[in-house]
Amino acid sequence: LTQAQCERIHGAIMRVLSQTGVIVESEEAREILHGAGGTVHPEKRRVTLPESAVQRAIEAAPKTIRLYGQDPKYDVELGGRNVNTLGGAAAVTTHHLDGAYRPSTLHDLVEFNRLQDALENLDVLHGMVDPTELGEQYSPRLYSIVAATTFATTYKPCALQVDNRPEGVRDLFQMLVMIRGSEEEARRRPLFSVHDSNARPPFALQEENARVII
C-alpha cells in the first residue's frame, strides 16, 4: 500500500470508531472504555472512541511480546520485523490416511501436537483439532482439557482457545503456575496466548467475551 492508501484506511477506521462505535454488552467493559476517553451511549450500549483515545492505546501497547516455551530454546518474540509461524486450528473432523473423515478425538489432538512439536519451522503450537467424544458433562471445560493435553505434549509456546467464562482463563493460569512453579514465574515467563475471544460482527463485543478479555 502507498502512504496515501494507508492514511485513507486509517481515516475510515477512525471515523467508524468515533461516529458509529461498537456495541459493548459488558457494563464493566463500557466503564473501562469510558475511563480511557470513550463516550458511552447507554440507551444503545454503544461506545464511540475518539482518535486520540485510540492513538493513546496504540502507543501504550508493547511493541514486542515474548512467549516462552517449556524449553527455553523455543522462546519466541512477536513483533518488529520478526516472522513467526502458528499451527492450527480447531477442526472437528480429521481426514485420515485411509481417505475417511471421522470426528476428531483427544487421541488425534495428541498426535497432531506431537507432529507440530517436531516441526522445526513452527514456532507456536495451536491445537489442530477439537475433541468431539468427551460428552456434554465436559463441554463447559473442553478447552481447559485441550490446554492440559497440549501442555503435556509440547515444549513450545501455545496459542490457546478459552471457554467463554473467566473460570476458563483462571484454569489456564493455574496450569501455568503448576508448570512454572510459582505465580511470579508464571507472570514473568508466559507460556501461552489466548487469541479467540472474538467480537461478534458487525461491531459488537459480547458480555462473555468481554469478561474473558478483562
Side-chain angles (χ1 to χ4, degrees), residues 53-108:
V54 177
Q55 293 289 15
R56 281 197 304 273
I58 292 171
E59 290 164 9
K63 301 303 180 281
T64 60
I65 297 172
R66 287 192 68 82
L67 292 177
Y68 299 83
Q70 294 187 54
D71 184 330
K73 74 179 182 181
Y74 294 119
D75 293 355
V76 174
E77 185 172 277
L78 309 176
R81 299 183 67 83
N82 296 337
V83 176
N84 305 105
T85 55
L86 169 73
V92 295
T93 58
T94 300
H95 191 191
H96 289 258
L97 294 177
D98 62 5
Y101 286 90
R102 301 189 185 96
S104 299
T105 66
L106 202 59
H107 177 73
D108 293 328

Side-chain angles (χ1 to χ4, degrees), residues 13-33:
I13 293 168
M14 292 305 108
R15 283 194 299 277
V16 168
L17 289 176
S18 63
Q19 297 174 18
T20 304
V22 179
I23 294 171
V24 180
E25 295 180 358
S26 164
E27 183 177 355
E28 184 179 2
R30 292 197 297 271
E31 291 174 357
I32 291 171
L33 291 168

Side-chain angles (χ1 to χ4, degrees), residues 140-141 144 162-173 175:
R141 292 186 176 271
S144 297
V162 65
D163 309 302
N164 277 333
R165 55 195 181 89
E167 294 81 5
V169 180
R170 286 193 283 271
D171 286 349
L172 299 185
F173 184 67
M175 293 180 211

Side-chain angles (χ1 to χ4, degrees), residues 3-205:
Q3 184 64 29
Q5 289 171 324
C6 291
E7 290 173 359
R8 278 187 64 193
I9 293 170
H10 175 79
I13 293 168
M14 292 305 108
R15 283 194 299 277
V16 168
L17 289 176
S18 63
Q19 297 174 18
T20 304
V22 179
I23 294 171
V24 180
E25 295 180 358
S26 164
E27 183 177 355
E28 184 179 2
R30 292 197 297 271
E31 291 174 357
I32 291 171
L33 291 168
H34 176 70
T39 299
V40 177
H41 308 271
E43 70 285 356
K44 296 182 179 180
R45 298 185 299 175
R46 188 177 292 274
V47 178
T48 51
L49 293 164
E51 183 171 357
S52 58
V54 177
Q55 293 289 15
R56 281 197 304 273
I58 292 171
E59 290 164 9
K63 301 303 180 281
T64 60
I65 297 172
R66 287 192 68 82
L67 292 177
Y68 299 83
Q70 294 187 54
D71 184 330
K73 74 179 182 181
Y74 294 119
D75 293 355
V76 174
E77 185 172 277
L78 309 176
R81 299 183 67 83
N82 296 337
V83 176
N84 305 105
T85 55
L86 169 73
V92 295
T93 58
T94 300
H95 191 191
H96 289 258
L97 294 177
D98 62 5
Y101 286 90
R102 301 189 185 96
S104 299
T105 66
L106 202 59
H107 177 73
D108 293 328
L109 177 68
V110 169
E111 294 288 271
F112 278 122
N113 284 356
R114 292 174 62 196
L115 172 64
Q116 291 186 81
D117 190 68
L119 294 175
E120 294 182 2
N121 62 338
L122 190 139
D123 300 307
V124 180
L125 185 145
H126 187 303
M128 293 181 70
V129 299
D130 276 356
T132 60
E133 85 277 28
L134 297 178
E136 290 186 7
Q137 70 269 34
Y138 294 109
S139 60
R141 292 186 176 271
L142 170 64
Y143 291 122
S144 297
I145 295 169
V146 168
T149 304
T150 298
F151 291 145
T153 50
T154 185
Y155 290 106
K156 293 181 178 180
C158 306
L160 299 175
Q161 298 168 270
V162 65
D163 309 302
N164 277 333
R165 55 195 181 89
E167 294 81 5
V169 180
R170 286 193 283 271
D171 286 349
L172 299 185
F173 184 67
Q174 288 306 312
M175 293 180 211
L176 180 55
V177 170
M178 293 174 69
I179 291 168
R180 295 299 192 210
S182 69
E183 287 197 10
E184 181 181 1
E185 277 297 291
R187 296 182 190 280
R188 189 175 73 84
R189 300 180 66 238
L191 177 59
F192 64 86
S193 61
V194 173
H195 67 101
D196 70 334
S197 200
N198 302 317
R200 183 187 70 229
F203 305 117
L205 183 63

